[in-house]
Amino acid sequence: MSIETRFLGASGLQVPVLTMGTMTFGGAGRHAPMGQVQVDEATRMVDMCLERGVDFFDTADVYSQGLSEEILGQALGKRRQDALVATKLNGPMGEGVNDRGQSRHHIIAACEASLRRLGTDWIDLYQVHSVDERTPMEETLSALDDLVRQGKVRYIGCSNYSAWHLVKALSTSERRGVERYVSLQAYYSLVGRELEHELLPACQDQGVGVLVWSPLAGGFLTGKQRRGEAPPAGSRRETTGDTGTMDAEQGFDVVDVLDGIARERGTSIAQVAINWLLRRPGVTSVIIGARTPEQLEDNLDAASWELTAEEVARLDEVSARPLPYPYWHQLKMNRPRLRYTLADSGAPLS
């Protein structure tokens, strides 16, 4: 079955608009509340994705301390050639002072370890998981460039960067003549729209693809919790709390509108929330995770239909929050001269 694909930033690589996230694979340590998916069920989920044309899989070395990578590698098995695999490095993978971060030492060691766990000879997209201001950016990018030249990595990306970190990295790559980040992986949802202020416009301007994590805000946008109710027992929201700085009352207003659209369309609240993200300018692919094949099937269906302009407007309006300075001032005083703006987001100007 075909699915829409988009180019990953300014690269020539095309990826599906949905990516299978594997944080639920393994269920060890602090990632236990995310899910307990083991090899057999992971294999079934991988099968489901590939059958639907979703051939992009995202993991990280810190997910269950390497178990997620191991399970993904086993689930793919001989179908590795049919898939695009992304993983990440930065977090602590041992007790040593050099077992984390983005030094040349750790990047090379982390890459070799991820390749072993994944059971592969190459990583399609290798991403730094966060910012490391203790390591010179030149050192990080040079080490990543070496991995690309060695054929161990094909593209590089970053995650959880601020706009100034991203632009600094791109400038450093250009100045040093080394590989540049083709993608940013970042949090974005109907109850977390901060990405729109600066990062999305920066990515659009600089030709950087955007991979969205936690599109359902840690499960809040599934509608399983309603106003005045406690989070469902055993849910991710109960065990890990809110995602970001969500305004709870506005969040429940968003769920109410999602519920109304879902009922009108005969679909799930989660699908509506994911579909809204698929229509946002600058978004390349939305990372969907699941604890069960049934959850995955529902999420995959989010790419099989499209919200109307009126439905998008309803969601834009209910989820809008006042713009911080200088964005409200730019829109108020200079809107006709802006190339990437939030003019259509419904956000109040002050």
Side-chain angles (χ1 to χ4, degrees):
M1 183 179 294
S2 63
I3 187 172
E4 180 188 354
T5 61
R6 297 171 184 172
F7 284 99
L8 186 59
S11 79
L13 183 68
Q14 296 185 68
V15 299
V17 294
L18 294 178
T19 299
M20 173 63 186
T22 64
M23 189 185 288
T24 59
F25 289 9
R30 67 185 181 89
H31 290 94
M34 311 303 179
Q36 305 285 328
V37 177
Q38 302 303 314
V39 175
D40 288 347
E41 199 164 38
T43 302
R44 181 181 171 192
M45 290 182 174
V46 167
D47 290 343
M48 293 169 60
C49 288
L50 292 176
E51 288 170 3
R52 299 284 291 269
V54 176
D55 59 0
F56 197 12
F57 300 89
D58 179 74
T59 185
D61 57 5
V62 294
Y63 294 168
S64 294
Q65 284 294 289
L67 273 178
S68 174
E69 289 182 324
E70 290 181 14
I71 292 172
L72 175 60
Q74 292 176 54
L76 282 171
K78 295 180 180 179
R79 297 169 301 176
R80 173 66 182 92
Q81 293 278 357
D82 302 324
L84 298 170
V85 173
T87 191
K88 300 180 283 292
L89 82 305
N90 179 73
M93 292 299 292
E95 298 298 325
V97 295
N98 290 312
D99 291 336
R100 67 181 305 163
Q102 295 164 34
S103 66
R104 173 176 290 274
H105 174 91
H106 183 60
I107 287 173
I108 293 173
C111 181
E112 296 290 353
S114 287
L115 289 169
R116 287 194 299 271
R117 286 190 292 265
L118 287 163
T120 185
D121 295 326
W122 79 97
I123 295 165
D124 295 285
L125 177 64
Y126 201 35
Q127 306 156 102
V128 292
H129 210 158
S130 190
V131 172
D132 178 4
E133 292 187 338
R134 295 291 186 174
T135 302
M137 201 160 278
E138 292 82 355
E139 179 178 345
T140 296
L141 290 166
S142 175
L144 292 170
D145 183 76
D146 285 347
L147 293 174
V148 173
R149 293 176 185 274
Q150 293 165 11
K152 296 176 181 178
V153 169
R154 294 187 174 171
Y155 297 93
I156 61 171
C158 59
S159 181
N160 302 311
Y161 267 36
S162 63
W164 77 265
H165 285 114
L166 174 62
V167 174
K168 179 180 178 180
L170 297 175
S171 175
T172 300
S173 291
E174 182 177 6
R175 188 175 70 252
R176 298 294 291 268
V178 296
E179 287 290 315
R180 76 193 301 266
Y181 293 140
V182 299
S183 62
L184 166 76
Q185 188 174 140
Y187 171 57
Y188 190 19
S189 79
L190 272 163
V191 291
R193 295 179 60 180
E194 296 90 342
L195 196 73
E196 296 173 345
H197 298 154
E198 197 150 309
L199 276 163
L200 269 180
C203 289
Q204 289 176 276
D205 182 70
Q206 296 296 313
V208 176
V210 175
L211 308 175
V212 174
W213 62 260
S214 200
L216 301 179
F220 179 79
L221 294 177
T222 62
K224 292 179 181 177
Q225 181 187 2
R226 297 304 178 94
R227 200 186 312 267
E229 299 177 355
S235 69
R236 180 173 169 183
R237 182 168 165 79
E238 180 196 46
T239 54
T240 63
D242 293 343
T243 298
T245 56
M246 181 185 75
D247 178 276
E249 285 305 305
Q250 185 180 30
F252 288 117
D253 291 340
V254 170
V255 171
D256 289 342
V257 175
L258 285 169
D259 186 38
I261 294 173
R263 289 176 184 274
E264 292 164 8
R265 283 188 164 270
T267 188
S268 70
I269 291 175
Q271 282 191 44
V272 179
I274 294 169
N275 196 280
W276 179 83
L277 282 168
L278 293 176
R279 311 304 157 201
R280 306 307 291 172
V283 169
T284 307
S285 186
V286 176
I287 301 172
I288 55 173
R291 297 185 184 190
T292 66
E294 292 73 25
Q295 287 181 350
L296 177 60
E297 186 70 36
D298 184 69
N299 288 345
L300 287 170
D301 285 342
S304 65
W305 57 278
E306 188 170 334
L307 288 164
T308 66
E310 184 274 334
E311 290 167 334
V312 170
R314 285 161 61 186
L315 291 168
D316 287 351
E317 181 178 5
V318 73
S319 63
R321 298 181 72 178
L323 294 175
Y325 176 84
Y327 310 107
W328 63 262
H329 190 275
Q330 291 172 355
L331 286 181
K332 183 177 180 180
M333 305 301 294
N334 201 38
R335 184 181 303 223
R337 303 295 295 176
L338 299 178
R339 185 178 179 189
Y340 304 107
T341 76
L342 298 180
D344 299 321
S345 70
L349 294 184
S350 61

